[in-house]
Amino acid sequence: MKQILKYILAVILTVYLFGCIKDTGNYEYLDADKVAPTLVSGINDSYSAISMEKLVIDPKMGADENLYDYVWYAYPALVVGTACDTLGRTKKLDYPVTLLSGTYTLIFKATDKINKTSVYKKSLLTVSSIFGIGYYINKYENGRTDIDFVDRNGLINKNILKQINGDDLPGKPIRSTYEVNRFSYNVVNADGTKTKMTFKPAVLVCSDQDMRIYHGESMKLLKTWDEAFLEKPAVKKPQGVWANVNGYMLMNNNSVQFINNNGSNVGEFGYPYPVNNMKLNSSATVMSSSVMVYDDNAGELAGYHAQTYSAVKNAVVKASPLTLAPVGEAYFTNSDLIYMGTQVYYATSAGRSYVIVKNRTTNVFTLWQIGVSNIQYGYIYDYGAGGLVIPASAGVTSGKVFALKGGTSTAFNTVIYYSSGDNKVHYFNPANQTEKRDLITLPAGEEITYIEHSYDFYYKINTFVVLSNKGGNWVLRTYDLEGATPDVILPEKTIYNGTGLAKNLIYRHASTSLTY
């Protein structure tokens, strides 16, 4: 009898539930697909949004919209298991975008209020700030350093540091750097307590007289020089600033200092690392928490890691097909640095640097391909080239401005773009010791100050830029490349003009994290 009663109750419960969906008198069972909400139109497969501007999406439902509950949410597209942000709970999304720059999966969900069945729509959402896509031109004008920003629409926003913050930097520009989520800092509240702001985007701007830190979304000033150190340096002589995977590195008064997000100095550069009679060249390459510098006194490379307080020198590991072993000798010394650089734009670390040096005794030029990441293990990694000899007649040996063809490489299968500081761009191919001269020729009187191949395989970024000065004004030209070749398509794709003398630039794209 008890079993019969249980069966009767189960039947009654089932009839009751399905009766809420459709009551036909005979309680027939329905396919859930036939009673679930229907999305007719109004949601695209992808969207681009700008921080602090509204994102409005108004989908059309296949029935009375009042029958459903709605929710919009987003989560980072490339981070598995990350908590989502709820953006709205109405059919029409009317959202002032507060997400940080990046790529997100956007979800629309409509749920029937009675039977609880749902319909979903997934889209790709790319978020950037007003300053999230464009060119940051570091320039010198009227004795000051500022930035002209060329936005995604080609509009030139002059002197954004002074326009936004009421002040720019004294002195001549050296370089700037950007990282999307590696700056943490403390904010002092009105009651004297501190609130930690974690993993925010930041732009660091460095002149020969000052360095300041700005918020990467708004360009508002976060820290002045006096606020940027665990202990303010006795001598203020900045030589450059670089972003890396785990923080930032500053070169000041012939020493390096790190902001490392794994350390205790929140948002502040730590103590300067000892140089032991080295004279640091203002060139540097970075990866992860490591930096490779050049000692102009000894004429050789040196390396630092954020958690290693002494420089790595004369500790080289060479690559071979089967083994890695310390060779116990310097790969080169007593040499003048001609060029040192890595790929400046990549979603992840490029990982190795190209170095051209000239031996002071023999006057022989050699090119090396050096790994930066292994500095944290106490050695500098030679990728096996062993110093490729470059003919003294090659134009690259007298270059003044350099750039690399994009992408990482396991051999000398990239090219080095260069200019002698005139109005022409050339490139040198190490693999076959050939050069292509006059790749680009600008109008007479222009002096090239910066060139860059901005490349990211994952996000399909592939553009070439040339920055020059003429008569107290700067000129920026952008070019497309011919397929996978190092050649550019002439004439230029776009050209921009501004006032002041440009030093260099950052090309920033919303999707990637590092610009180096």
Side-chain angles (χ1 to χ4, degrees), residues 381-395:
Y381 185 73
D382 168 20
Y383 272 93
L388 180 70
V389 175
I390 302 175
S393 59

Side-chain angles (χ1 to χ4, degrees), residues 23 37 47 86 94 130 168 175 205 231 233 241 312 421 438 460 497 510:
D23 189 353
Y47 290 93
T86 300
D94 191 354
I130 295 172
D168 47 22
R175 73 188 318 270
V205 182
E231 182 178 299
V241 66
V312 173
D438 304 341
K460 309 304 179 186
N497 297 272

Side-chain angles (χ1 to χ4, degrees), residues 228-300:
F229 298 90
L230 192 62
E231 182 178 299
K232 189 170 68 171
V235 177
K236 184 178 182 180
K237 190 178 180 180
Q239 296 168 266
V241 66
W242 291 260
N244 57 47
V245 176
N246 291 320
Y248 301 88
M249 188 276 289
L250 169 73
M251 189 182 296
N252 176 66
N253 192 36
N254 197 46
S255 64
V256 300
Q257 299 172 248
F258 289 92
I259 291 178
N260 182 18
N261 280 305
N262 296 323
S264 59
N265 49 311
V266 178
E268 299 172 325
F269 287 100
Y271 297 107
Y273 284 27
V275 292
N276 298 325
N277 299 316
M278 292 192 296
K279 180 183 178 183
L280 299 188
N281 191 286
S282 58
S283 296
T285 61
V286 297
M287 179 184 172
S288 188
S289 296
S290 298
V291 58
M292 189 164 68
V293 295
Y294 198 84
D295 176 10
D296 281 336
N297 283 340
E300 59 192 25

Side-chain angles (χ1 to χ4, degrees), residues 308-341:
T308 304
Y309 202 58
S310 58
V312 173
K313 296 189 74 172
N314 299 338
V316 186
V317 171
K318 286 189 176 181
S320 68
L322 298 176
T323 61
L324 298 176
V327 298
E329 61 183 19
Y331 32 99
F332 66 81
T333 188
N334 192 37
S335 299
D336 292 323
L337 180 65
I338 306 299
Y339 167 64
M340 178 168 66

Side-chain angles (χ1 to χ4, degrees), residues 197-226:
M197 311 298 291
T198 58
F199 299 116
K200 302 299 182 183
V203 176
L204 281 65
V205 182
C206 185
S207 73
D208 62 1
Q209 297 182 28
D210 203 357
M211 185 279 302
R212 298 180 189 176
I213 304 174
Y214 300 86
H215 194 286
E217 299 290 291
S218 65
M219 292 304 295
K220 291 184 177 179
L221 180 66
L222 293 180
K223 285 184 178 290
T224 65
W225 178 274
D226 290 347

